[in-house]
Amino acid sequence: MKLGLVVDLDTCVGCHACAVACKEWNGQSLMAGGAPDYDGHGAAPSGVWFNRVRHYEFTAQAPGPEQAQGCGHVNLSKTINVPMSCMHCEDADCVTVCPTGASYKRAEDGIVLIDPEKCMGCNYCAWACPYGARELDTDAGVMRKCTLCVDRIYDEQLPAAERQPACVLACPAHARHFGDFDDAGSLVSLITKAREGVALLPELDYKPVNRYLPPRAAPEVDTAQADARPANLKDRLRAMANRLIEL
Amino acid sequence: MKPALSVVFFTVSSGAGLGLLIWATLARLMQGSQPGFGFAVAMAGVLFTAGLLSSSLHLANPRNGWRAFARFRHSWLSREGVFAVAVYPVAAAFLWADAHALRGLALVSGLLLVALALIVLACTGMIYACLKTVPHWRNWQTAVAYPLFGLMSGALLWLAAISGAAADQALNDTPMRQGTMLALLLLVAGGALKLSYYLRFARAPALPSLNAAIGLPPGRVRLLDVGHSGRTFLTDEFVFALAREQARLLRWVALGLGFALPGLLLAFAPRWTAPAVASCLAGLLVERWLFFAEARHVVRVYHGA
């Protein structure tokens, strides 16, 4: 198995619900060992997050001729919200560089985990990670990271639909999906294929598992047709109803 | 990268200690009785041990420090730890054989000690040179710098040790002249290496673009909001801000104090070995601090570089 996440950059609204749900679940999780806050209600709050959402502005460089029409607006210009957590790389350098063996990658499902009993808090794994997926818990002196909610996804006491990472369950925009990338028929494999999902920083060759679905160009709205008088009676009635509501 | 002072001190102090140990051992093996040898070995032990202890200050959970020997086959940090600890028994064997005039054993353990010390220094270099996430470090200069600077500062210390002993003993000047030549050569080589590192720095492979980092098609991307209001582990550790002018000044300080001034002192005032040592070590501390402070980690890209 090759478990991982798909994040849809087209539909993510940047609400941070995934990050908060992650804190909520893993803050008390025995498996993740906790995600502490420092000075949580003070002047300079900080803390450990396994999942962080950053916000970017994206503008397409060269609009095509059909996009340049209209009022001169570029078709694709939008805010891109990018949640990032551990990519559970197939060739995880964080595991390779760990001197204690506290960082490991599970052979059975590919999840990268940290054994807090072994970690000495040297930060070297965090240096080796290009995604900023690892953060030091200075309370316990050990490194923390996303576990893909390993204590949820196999829990048979939970209803089957809830055996998913907390971030996936919390996402109100359904921008996050969890599954097995080894299974060509799984949802994550299918939507990655259909939407040409990409890995982040593939050139570093860590073979990250998580995939990001790029933003789509919004479909052109034919304003001429929208303003035209509806052809059939049903649409005319509907248009009249709309006008009544707007009175 | 945040320059952790414990690591800066560790690499400079341990490096100098190992370099001194190497030269003291080689001189003992080649030239036999050598005044200042005992002092040099004691100083090497203090510098090396102080460095190792300092490195443990960098650990958030030092209780598990002993586990660092576990992943010898994968991790340069683990290899460094294993070889560093192995220095002690080998050094003890060499000193014991030396004290009891067991020439064969002294030769074997002495050469082993020299090799081991070089390997420890090389491992330290590889800890940084192997990281794909810091393009500035990923070159042969980084890997070579640690052994070379260790040998260089060690040679200066060795010179100071034998010149200190020479002050109260009638000593022929040959070891002094040889030591001075060696230290000068290493200072020139070290200075050239650091200069090439700095010259190459601006041309180092750039950090990936924000487009590649987020996996977006070609287009203009800029950071709108980093998503947190205060400091985080990531900004503390990787987004270390150093003004360009400050960095330029410190580069000259590092080159001047670490390499040029000790070289000039050796060339024109060969008896002034103590100031040369002090200047070199101070310069290397600045050099090591800058090595971290100037290096840029890929995570910076996500924070708007």
Side-chain angles (χ1 to χ4, degrees), chain B residues 240-247 250 289-290 293-294 300:
Chain B
F240 186 84
L242 180 68
R244 192 169 298 201
E245 280 305 301
Q246 204 183 350
L250 285 173
W289 188 89
L290 258 186
E294 279 194 300
R300 283 181 79 118

Side-chain angles (χ1 to χ4, degrees), chain B residues 51-119:
Chain B
L52 288 187
L53 290 177
S54 164
S55 78
S56 74
L57 292 178
H58 164 69
L59 304 180
N61 189 20
R63 273 175 304 137
N64 277 343
W66 61 275
R67 291 185 185 271
F69 310 124
R71 282 293 180 270
F72 182 81
R73 285 177 54 205
H74 303 283
S75 169
W76 285 105
L77 183 52
S78 188
R79 287 172 198 158
E80 183 198 43
V82 170
F83 287 123
V85 169
V87 163
Y88 287 99
V90 177
F94 168 66
L95 291 175
W96 182 81
D98 183 62
H100 292 79
L102 301 168
R103 297 202 115 203
L105 183 59
L107 184 67
V108 172
S109 57
L111 290 179
L112 187 62
L113 181 58
V114 169
L116 207 52
L118 278 173
I119 290 170

Side-chain angles (χ1 to χ4, degrees), chain A residues 56-57 59 97 124 127 204, chain B residues 75 127 132-133 222 297 302:
Chain A
Y56 303 93
E57 180 190 69
T59 313
V97 304
Y124 196 27
W127 289 16
L204 292 181
Chain B
S75 169
I127 286 176
K132 283 193 235 175
T133 47
R222 69 183 180 99
H297 193 280
Y302 292 103

Side-chain angles (χ1 to χ4, degrees), chain A residues 203-216:
Chain A
E203 65 268 31
L204 292 181
D205 212 21
Y206 294 148
K207 302 187 181 66
V209 170
N210 289 7
R211 289 290 181 270
Y212 286 76
L213 308 181
R216 290 174 283 201

Side-chain angles (χ1 to χ4, degrees), chain B residues 279-296:
Chain B
S279 164
C280 176
L281 291 182
L284 285 182
L285 285 173
V286 175
E287 178 271 322
R288 208 56 47 87
W289 188 89
L290 258 186
F291 174 74
F292 290 100
E294 279 194 300
R296 294 159 83 86

Side-chain angles (χ1 to χ4, degrees), chain A residues 46 55-59 82 96-100 117-122 124 126-129 141 200 204 206, chain B residues 58 60-61 64 67-68 71 74-75 127 132-133 213-214 219-225 231 233 237-238 297 302:
Chain A
S46 181
H55 311 276
Y56 303 93
E57 180 190 69
F58 178 65
T59 313
V82 185
T96 311
V97 304
C98 176
T100 63
E117 297 293 313
K118 288 186 182 168
C119 177
M120 63 176 189
C122 69
Y124 196 27
W127 289 16
C129 175
L200 303 192
L204 292 181
Y206 294 148
Chain B
H58 164 69
N61 189 20
N64 277 343
R67 291 185 185 271
R71 282 293 180 270
H74 303 283
S75 169
I127 286 176
K132 283 193 235 175
T133 47
I214 314 175
R220 202 155 43 81
V221 196
R222 69 183 180 99
L223 179 70
L224 283 183
D225 193 294
R231 296 160 46 206
F233 171 77
E237 194 71 16
F238 302 119
H297 193 280
Y302 292 103

